[in-house]
Amino acid sequence: MSEEAKKAVIEYLEKLKKSKVYFNDLEKAVKSKIPDMKTREVKKVLTELINEGTLIYYSTGSTTMYGLKGKGITTDTPDLEE
Amino acid sequence: MSFKPPGPKVPQREIKYDEVRIYTDEEIHNYTEEELKNFKIKYDIPMLEELEKGPWPSFVADTKQLALHRRKLADDRVLMPKECAEDLLGQLQLSLEHGETHWKHGGIVGVSGYGGGVIGRYSDLPERFPAIAHFHTMRINQPNSKFYKTDYLRAIADLWNFRGSGCMNMHGSTGDIIFLGTTTEQLEPIFQEMAHVLNQDIGGSGSNLRTPSCCIGKARCEFALFDTQEMCYEMTMHYQDELHRPAFPYKFKFKFDGCPNGCVASIARADISFIGTWRDDIRIDQEAVKAYMAGELLPNAGAHRGRDWGKFDIQREVIDRCPTKCMALEDGKLVINNAECNRCMHCINTMPRALRPGTDTGVMLLFGAKAPILDGAQMSVCLIPFMKTEPPYDNVKEIIEKTFDWWMEEGKNRERLGELIQRMGLPKFLEVLGIPPAPHMITEPRSNPYIFWRAEDVPGGLTFDINEYRTKHAR
């Protein structure tokens, strides 16, 4: 189930025009494919993707978002357009 | 939602400054007062220097000291650009001239595995102020009640001077130690040093549980009604995943006040405020009451002495000021209708030798505070007026987890718990927590007892036919 969820996250982010999304956007993307998956399990999947280096956190300081590594935002050029 | 039980308590490691120090005494005290007096930074900062002329200690003067100190250190003794303090002042002067900030904030900076504790900050004039092109903030989880040994403070000051700007804020609003300004490549080494050498975790930021904070509690305060430090530690350890891996709609804060005096202002800032309380009677020592009335004991333990306030008047200064009018003097004795006491603490604070909280103590839980800068604070609402608290606080955790689950399920992005409660209605939140409504949850129960009843809650049911209603009442 975890691999399927990871695939759902990556596919969702690849198709998206935006470079970063909120946790609940990814949660909805996963639950659209795996309706029974619990929020905490989605979080575990996202943490695995972060640890693998596939996803990255983006933080404004007050809010945290997720993005696909290499898509749109990099470490040295903060993207503050959104 | 399921949470892992915490592991065994890790014994605290004692930090010996001499074992971890980076700088010699000569390097730390590397300039004279005379040198400081004659020191000029590389920018003209007339508007900032105006700030130095006021009666209070100025951050401009502090930053100049730091600039001189860093300029006199050898090049290989700092890993953050030496001129960062000078560039900081230069950019601030320019911001004052332009009337707008030259900082950009946010970004991908962080440390491995953590989604909080580091806030990216960048100059939008990196060519003009290259030493602060990167100037990231790190939040460090402060020790409970902010107890320090000087060895520890010296150790973090050395580390931050070496790998960061040397600018520190003790403490931020949430309570963390704030390290102001370092480069992206120094973040991970600082984190590793903090974690593995100084035994110190970083704090929360972003859509995380923020660093929990507590008052000084039983360590030094006679009013503390539960062990704030124990509970704060336990919740910090138990909710590590929530602290470091963001999955909430927005920030979430716990704060622990040992008594209703609220020294960490949990009621004004925390999504869940934990405030010590009692459910028996206020203890009264009538002899001490008489001593206050006779002027033998100073009110407020002498905190307001030094000015002539006149003779202590128990009627005017205590009884008439009771917000619920639950006190009176009868035959020279102070009597309290404890059922009406709303824990304002005024009488206890005024006559601490005569009045003390009861002995059957616990914690009250309030929900939904937030303190936005522009709108002003929204106070939390007391939904659970009393709970017994014992480690490992399973009864409290059950409430917390119900709250997390509901907020994560229903909360919109950037919506605090208090806003969600307002949007969905307090009765909905009570249903989530599984507690019945009570008059104390309403601001003015006697003048505004308005409540929306659901059909199933009304004995005998509720029948309402909108069509029949419309025959008598036009839309």
Side-chain angles (χ1 to χ4, degrees):
Chain A
M1 194 189 275
S2 163
E3 288 308 312
E4 198 185 337
K6 283 182 185 176
K7 207 175 142 205
V9 169
I10 294 165
E11 273 177 15
Y12 173 77
L13 286 170
E14 278 173 346
K15 280 183 194 160
L16 211 64
K17 279 188 182 170
K18 286 191 287 187
S19 59
K20 47 193 180 289
V21 295
Y22 290 102
F23 173 82
N24 64 6
D25 297 324
L26 295 177
E27 188 188 0
K28 277 180 207 155
V30 173
K31 286 185 177 174
S32 70
K33 297 274 168 63
I34 316 168
D36 298 340
M37 199 156 191
K38 291 192 172 128
T39 303
R40 184 137 295 268
E41 289 165 349
V42 177
K43 183 178 175 180
K44 277 185 189 159
V45 167
L46 295 185
T47 303
E48 275 178 33
L49 285 167
I50 291 274
N51 292 341
E52 286 168 13
T54 312
L55 294 192
I56 43 171
Y57 290 122
Y58 175 92
S59 173
T60 63
S62 67
T63 317
T64 312
M65 301 172 88
Y66 292 76
L68 209 52
K69 192 173 184 181
K71 187 183 170 186
I73 40 177
T74 67
T75 312
D76 292 325
T77 53
D79 175 0
L80 301 171
E81 299 308 312
E82 284 176 34
Chain B
M1 194 183 278
S2 64
F3 295 83
K4 276 187 194 165
K9 207 166 183 175
V10 180
Q12 194 170 7
R13 192 186 309 151
E14 193 173 342
I15 308 296
K16 300 267 186 214
Y17 178 57
D18 283 337
E19 292 169 10
V20 295
R21 68 183 300 167
I22 295 169
Y23 295 110
T24 62
D25 285 342
E26 291 69 32
E27 284 174 316
I28 291 168
H29 307 287
N30 66 351
Y31 61 86
T32 63
E33 287 299 314
E34 194 61 27
E35 283 175 299
L36 181 63
K37 220 165 111 185
N38 299 322
F39 175 62
K40 291 272 177 250
I41 71 159
K42 62 182 181 179
Y43 302 102
D44 284 333
I45 50 167
M47 294 168 91
L48 289 180
E49 280 168 348
E50 278 299 308
L51 299 176
E52 283 187 283
K53 294 176 185 169
W56 308 105
S58 166
F59 73 94
V60 179
D62 284 353
T63 314
K64 280 181 175 175
Q65 282 182 29
L66 180 66
L68 175 59
H69 169 64
R70 290 182 72 87
R71 196 186 274 189
K72 293 197 73 180
L73 284 172
D75 287 348
D76 63 350
R77 299 296 283 152
V78 282
L79 298 177
M80 169 85 184
K82 278 174 75 175
E83 301 78 18
C84 61
E86 296 184 57
D87 279 10
L88 194 61
L89 291 173
Q91 179 170 295
L92 183 55
Q93 168 69 29
L94 196 66
S95 291
L96 292 178
E97 286 169 19
H98 291 172
E100 57 191 9
T101 184
H102 284 290
W103 289 119
K104 297 188 287 185
H105 72 99
I108 306 172
V109 291
V111 294
S112 59
Y114 277 34
V118 178
I119 300 144
R121 199 157 315 264
Y122 303 84
S123 169
D124 69 5
L125 296 168
E127 286 168 10
R128 192 159 169 186
F129 303 107
I132 55 167
H134 290 195
F135 204 73
H136 310 316
T137 296
M138 293 185 84
R139 291 193 181 149
I140 309 300
N141 191 332
Q142 79 285 1
N144 279 346
S145 311
K146 306 180 182 80
F147 275 107
Y148 296 111
K149 282 190 169 182
T150 51
D151 279 74
Y152 173 78
L153 290 172
R154 285 176 176 154
I156 60 168
D158 264 24
L159 174 66
W160 189 239
N161 215 10
F162 184 55
R163 294 189 179 273
S165 70
C167 285
M168 218 186 268
N169 175 4
M170 304 288 278
H171 301 79
S173 312
T174 299
D176 305 86
I177 303 165
I178 311 284
F179 283 175
L180 290 160
T182 192
T183 55
T184 304
E185 60 266 26
Q186 289 304 324
L187 293 169
E188 195 65 36
I190 291 166
F191 171 56
Q192 295 299 332
E193 285 279 321
M194 291 300 286
H196 300 297
V197 180
L198 301 180
N199 205 20
Q200 177 69 59
D201 202 3
I202 63 175
S205 69
S207 304
N208 274 313
L209 175 65
R210 301 302 181 83
T211 314
S213 82
C214 63
C215 70
I216 203 154
K218 291 188 172 178
R220 286 182 66 84
C221 180
E222 65 186 290
F223 292 153
L225 299 165
F226 72 102
D227 191 338
T228 54
Q229 293 165 331
E230 176 70 44
M231 194 165 173
C232 187
Y233 176 83
E234 172 62 25
M235 295 305 174
T236 305
M237 298 308 283
H238 188 72
Y239 294 112
Q240 280 286 294
D241 197 59
E242 281 60 38
L243 231 162
H244 297 309
R245 281 167 276 281
F248 285 154
Y250 200 20
K251 63 180 87 164
F252 197 97
K253 298 181 181 179
F254 289 155
K255 294 192 189 296
F256 304 89
D257 275 313
C259 81
N261 277 326
C263 290
V264 289
S266 64
I267 197 169
R269 310 188 289 162
D271 295 86
I272 305 183
S273 326
F274 301 88
I275 302 179
T277 187
W278 64 95
R279 62 179 168 184
D280 51 353
D281 294 347
I282 294 174
R283 287 172 286 168
I284 307 176
D285 177 344
Q286 297 291 355
E287 291 306 310
V289 173
K290 281 182 192 153
Y292 278 108
M293 290 165 70
E296 292 159 18
L297 291 172
L298 287 172
N300 292 89
H304 303 303
R305 73 180 149 209
R307 280 179 65 184
D308 183 14
W309 299 96
K311 190 173 181 301
F312 176 65
D313 181 343
I314 192 169
Q315 185 67 39
R316 191 169 56 84
E317 294 178 43
V318 179
I319 296 169
D320 291 349
R321 300 191 73 84
C322 174
T324 59
K325 308 291 176 213
C326 70
M327 311 181 83
L329 266 184
E330 288 176 5
D331 301 327
K333 281 192 166 182
L334 186 68
V335 291
I336 299 174
N337 177 5
N338 282 276
E340 289 295 320
C341 171
N342 72 353
R343 312 292 188 264
C344 85
M345 294 293 285
H346 177 73
C347 60
I348 296 174
N349 290 335
T350 308
M351 306 191 296
R353 289 274 291 276
L355 301 174
R356 284 185 292 164
T359 52
D360 188 5
T361 61
V363 66
M364 66 176 115
L365 270 61
L366 300 89
F367 297 82
K370 62 190 183 105
I373 295 167
L374 295 180
D375 307 341
Q378 173 177 309
M379 307 289 261
S380 52
V381 56
C382 176
L383 298 186
I384 301 179
F386 188 90
M387 274 180 108
K388 277 303 214 187
T389 48
E390 297 285 334
Y393 310 106
D394 288 339
N395 55 347
V396 177
K397 286 173 187 166
E398 195 181 318
I399 298 285
I400 291 171
E401 283 152 34
K402 281 180 186 172
T403 307
F404 281 170
D405 284 349
W406 182 61
W407 181 55
M408 288 175 78
E409 188 70 33
E410 301 289 348
K412 292 181 179 176
N413 293 325
R414 299 173 65 83
E415 184 175 53
R416 293 284 292 272
L417 176 67
E419 293 162 313
L420 176 63
I421 294 171
Q422 284 189 337
R423 182 164 64 82
M424 304 282 280
L426 189 60
K428 177 69 196 166
F429 187 48
L430 296 179
E431 196 183 305
V432 168
L433 295 182
I435 53 175
H440 66 79
M441 297 169 187
I442 299 164
T443 313
E444 294 178 75
R446 287 173 184 83
S447 62
N448 180 20
Y450 197 67
I451 187 159
F452 287 104
W453 295 97
R454 293 176 309 175
E456 58 268 33
D457 294 334
V458 179
L462 179 70
T463 52
F464 180 71
D465 181 350
I466 185 68
N467 296 322
E468 201 254 324
Y469 178 82
R470 285 282 168 246
T471 61
K472 296 178 197 159
H473 304 274
R475 178 178 283 277

